[in-house]
């Protein structure tokens, strides 16, 4: 039996009897019961009440493939392929291993309900529970030499921040180069990976992880302050699918703008969300500590350590605001 079909029957959070589920899915009550017992494997809590049946408290919000495709199509985005997976080690690894050609100007999107080995920057683990958050990767070709990549990380952070802002999320901060924070807690992160030179440019894989419905249950697993989108906007229609559709839309639109204008087009927007400027910062490797003076035209971090302003390149160091951990 298909776990997704069963979950869709229970998605509303109401009680459904074994008979009703069996009829809806065309299987026996025993088969339903067997499948239900697997839900705990993916971390889904099931309540059983005698005489009423089964329910998932709070329901479950699964990604909807047709909804996502229709949204991107209606916006005229060139998504040439969309792989929606139930479970994968990492959506970034999945697209990094993918050898199929991508035409210039086209985008391959992969999303998963769960990652078993989600990867963050600097070798960190990205906690990826089933049907709670968004795990998105986008592969595309970027024409040009290594210069073309400079600033891409920042531009992507700006696109995600703009998307969240447009849906009413307040107090968004970008922590250089592209961590997305709200209320001094991490909401989302971006991992940019290069597959290597491809013809006249680079094959790039951009991975975005956004906490959407993750609750305190996960506390203790993640080693930094974090926050989820739930409760951050008054908009109740924002399902995970709608967030996924909007975020991919914003990322692809941002990448297209970046291709034509470079970082210059995105820098003003990025600076609006800069959460480090004016704060004491510390480069974790290199031991540089000082007052952050924002970013320069190339997206490098400016730190005044007392002996003049020093620039830090993306990818070389990590920055930790002294007042809060990262
Ligand atoms: C970070 O802030 O450290 C970056 C986190 C990036 C996580 C996303 S989730 C989708 C994609 N697949 C991965 O394994 N990582 C990225």
């Amino acid at each position: 039996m298909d776990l997704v079909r069963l979950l869709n029957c229970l998605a509303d959070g109401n009680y459904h009897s074994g008979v009703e589920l069996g009829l809806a899915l065309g299987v026996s009550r025993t088969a339903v019961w067997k499948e239900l017992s697997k839900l705990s494997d993916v971390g889904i809590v099931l309540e059983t009440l005698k005489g009423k049946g089964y329910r998932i408290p709070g329901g479950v919000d699964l990604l909807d493939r047709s909804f996502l495709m229709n949204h991107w199509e209606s916006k005229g985005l060139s998504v040439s392929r969309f792989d929606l997976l139930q479970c994968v080690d990492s959506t970034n690894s999945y697209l990094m291993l993918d050898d199929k050609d991508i035409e210039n100007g086209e985008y391959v999107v992969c999303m998963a309900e769960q990652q078993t080995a989600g990867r963050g920057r600097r070798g960190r683990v990205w906690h990826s529970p089933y049907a709670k958050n968004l795990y998105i990767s986008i592969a595309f070709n970027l024409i040009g030499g290594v210069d073309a990549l400079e600033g891409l990380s920042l531009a992507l952070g700006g696109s995600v921040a703009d998307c969240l802002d447009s849906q009413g999320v307040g107090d968004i901060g970008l922590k250089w180069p592209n961590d997305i924070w709200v209320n001094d807690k991490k909401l989302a992160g971006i991992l940019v990976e290069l597959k290597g030179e491809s013809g006249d440019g680079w094959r790039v894989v951009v991975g975005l992880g956004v906490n959407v419905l993750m609750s305190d249950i996960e506390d203790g697993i993640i080693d930094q302050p974090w926050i989820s989108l739930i409760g951050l906007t008054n908009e109740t229609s924002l399902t995970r699918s709608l967030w996924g559709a909007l975020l991919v839309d914003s990322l692809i639109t941002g990448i297209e703008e970046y291709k034509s204008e470079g970082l210059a087009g995105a820098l003003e927007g990025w600076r609006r969300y800069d959460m480090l400027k004016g704060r004491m910062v510390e480069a974790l490797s290199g031991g540089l500590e000082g007052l952050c003076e924002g970013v320069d035209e190339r997206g490098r971090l400016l730190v005044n350590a007392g002996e003049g302003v020093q620039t830090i390149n993306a990818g070389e160091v990590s920055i930790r605001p002294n007042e809060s951990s990262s």
Side-chain angles (χ1 to χ4, degrees):
M1 193 204 308
D2 184 351
L3 187 68
V4 176
R5 284 182 64 215
L6 175 63
L7 281 172
N8 278 323
C9 291
L10 293 162
D12 57 10
N14 297 328
Y15 280 105
H16 298 270
S17 71
V19 175
E20 182 196 333
L21 293 171
L23 280 173
L25 299 166
V27 296
S28 69
R29 275 174 63 191
T30 320
V32 168
W33 184 82
K34 261 195 184 158
E35 202 63 21
L36 285 171
S37 65
K38 290 184 195 158
L39 292 184
S40 61
D41 296 349
V42 290
I44 289 185
V45 176
L46 186 75
E47 268 181 19
T48 311
L49 190 65
K50 220 170 167 214
K52 288 194 114 182
Y54 311 93
R55 74 165 184 148
I56 296 171
V60 62
D61 174 18
L62 293 183
L63 293 171
D64 182 335
R65 188 188 156 76
S66 328
F67 175 88
L68 286 152
M69 289 295 283
N70 287 341
H71 179 96
W72 300 326
E73 218 177 288
S74 73
K75 296 286 166 149
L77 301 177
S78 300
V79 176
S80 58
R81 206 178 89 214
F82 173 39
D83 291 350
L84 175 56
L85 312 171
Q86 284 303 299
C87 186
V88 69
D89 52 354
S90 146
T91 53
N92 258 41
S93 305
Y94 176 85
L95 286 187
M96 287 292 281
L97 289 172
D98 187 65
D99 272 338
K100 295 184 198 86
D101 281 345
I102 303 177
E103 296 287 321
N104 292 337
E106 296 206 326
Y107 295 85
V108 171
V109 178
C110 174
M111 285 193 198
E113 292 287 9
Q114 179 183 27
Q115 295 185 124
T116 52
R119 295 184 290 112
R121 287 193 294 120
R122 303 192 298 276
R124 281 181 132 146
V125 169
W126 189 259
H127 186 53
S128 312
Y130 185 86
K132 292 271 191 261
N133 301 325
L134 284 170
Y135 320 113
I136 305 171
S137 294
I138 304 177
F140 59 98
N141 298 329
L142 191 63
I143 310 297
V146 84
D147 286 357
L149 294 162
E150 205 178 54
L152 176 66
S153 282
L154 274 82
L156 294 165
S159 297
V160 173
D162 280 344
C163 177
L164 298 169
D165 182 57
S166 73
Q167 299 306 312
V169 176
D171 198 24
I172 301 165
L174 282 172
K175 179 170 161 285
W176 184 87
N178 58 16
D179 273 2
I180 294 103
W181 288 55
V182 168
N183 300 337
D184 267 340
K185 293 175 181 154
K186 184 156 171 172
L187 174 74
I190 298 173
L191 177 68
V192 180
E193 295 186 293
L194 302 177
K195 197 165 162 163
E197 282 176 88
S198 83
D200 44 3
W202 298 82
R203 168 70 56 84
V204 183
V205 175
V206 167
L208 170 68
V210 185
N211 301 331
V212 184
L213 298 171
M214 200 157 63
S215 66
D216 296 347
I217 288 177
E218 318 290 335
D219 245 353
I221 300 175
I222 303 172
D223 62 355
Q224 60 184 330
W226 59 271
I227 195 165
S228 288
L229 275 173
I230 188 166
L232 290 182
T233 73
N234 296 327
E235 189 49 77
T236 48
S237 64
L238 283 163
T239 57
R240 287 170 67 238
S241 293
L242 184 51
W243 274 121
L246 295 170
L247 285 161
V248 168
D249 180 348
S250 194
L251 281 170
I252 293 182
T253 307
I255 294 164
E256 286 293 306
E257 276 167 20
Y258 181 79
K259 282 180 180 172
S260 55
E261 296 166 37
L263 181 59
L267 205 52
E268 200 185 311
W270 194 96
R271 286 182 170 139
R272 213 157 54 84
Y273 302 107
D274 186 350
M275 66 181 269
L276 294 184
K277 190 172 180 190
R279 284 167 106 164
M280 291 299 289
V281 296
E282 181 188 357
L284 295 183
S285 61
L288 180 70
E289 213 175 321
L291 184 70
C292 177
E293 297 196 350
V295 294
D296 70 8
E297 300 308 303
R298 288 167 61 183
R300 298 176 303 182
L301 194 74
L302 302 170
V303 178
N304 192 335
E307 310 117 17
V309 178
Q310 303 203 28
T311 51
I312 299 172
N313 290 312
E316 277 183 16
V317 288
S318 304
I319 302 296
R320 185 183 292 272
N322 284 352
E323 310 92 302
S324 67
S325 64
S326 69

